[in-house]
Amino acid sequence: MDTPTLNRIAKLHPSVRNEATKIIQECDAALTGRAKVRVTQGLRTFAEQDDLYQQGRTKPGKKVTNAKAGQSIHNYGFAVDICLIIDGKTASWDTTKDWDNDQIADWYECVKIFAKYGWEWGGNWKTLKDLPHFDKRGFNNWRVLSKLKLDTSGYVII
């Protein structure tokens, strides 16, 4: 697991850090070829979320989210976005490529592993599909999370 991934996992909600680590390790083990998983986004501040929400609205670019600040599971540390790092240097979001030649697209090998641990894939969403996104089922309702109290570190108490 690379340093950016470790750093991003370390900022996730404490209740999912170990599981997220296991998932990435299992994905990396399954991808026996040139690809490894990198977490590109984990915990996201409300300011970062608002900035993303403005993209395609008041800022140039394509819309990338329908979630305002506080409405993303990233804001509570229960979601990750990933990419595949090919040969240790090139980021890929290609969901069809089979870098390890086992007849299964590497991305879908990871989707299956996340699902095994109870994480929902943004590629299954009906609107604004988010292929890099995974969030922990049971903690993926921002309306509930936004009403919970925070611990001294700023994480919701579950």
Side-chain angles (χ1 to χ4, degrees):
M1 209 174 319
D2 66 8
T3 300
T5 295
L6 289 169
N7 291 341
R8 290 175 183 124
I9 288 173
K11 293 178 182 174
L12 292 176
H13 192 279
S15 68
V16 296
R17 287 179 193 157
N18 288 340
E19 185 172 87
T21 300
K22 282 184 205 173
I23 291 168
I24 301 306
Q25 288 171 336
E26 196 169 321
C27 288
D28 283 348
L31 305 178
T32 58
R34 301 166 45 203
K36 296 294 176 202
V37 175
R38 174 174 289 168
V39 172
T40 60
Q41 180 81 87
L43 180 66
R44 188 182 296 145
T45 68
F46 280 30
E48 290 168 327
Q49 188 66 40
D50 268 339
D51 192 50
L52 282 176
Y53 181 79
Q54 294 310 318
Q55 188 175 319
R57 293 174 175 86
T58 61
K59 293 184 176 181
K62 182 178 136 186
K63 285 183 185 177
V64 293
T65 185
N66 286 327
K68 295 178 182 178
Q71 296 178 347
S72 171
I73 305 309
H74 283 286
N75 299 145
Y76 304 96
F78 292 105
V80 296
D81 293 343
I82 67 165
C83 74
L84 299 178
I85 299 295
I86 312 307
D87 298 329
K89 57 186 175 196
T90 305
S92 172
W93 288 266
D94 187 335
T95 60
T96 63
K97 187 73 175 160
D98 179 20
W99 297 99
D100 58 4
N101 296 312
D102 64 359
Q103 309 306 306
I104 305 168
D106 289 359
W107 198 273
Y108 290 101
E109 290 184 65
C110 294
V111 168
K112 285 178 166 182
I113 292 167
F114 272 94
K116 179 175 93 172
Y117 285 89
W119 290 63
E120 180 180 4
W121 180 42
N124 289 331
W125 294 349
K126 301 216 183 310
T127 59
L128 198 61
K129 290 186 182 292
D130 190 354
L131 301 180
H133 179 91
F134 297 87
D135 58 53
K136 180 66 176 171
R137 284 188 201 103
F139 301 102
N140 57 353
N141 185 331
W142 66 266
R143 287 179 177 89
V144 172
L145 292 170
S146 68
K147 292 179 169 94
L148 297 176
K149 293 184 180 191
L150 304 180
D151 67 15
T152 56
S153 298
Y155 294 100
V156 293
I157 299 170
I158 53 172

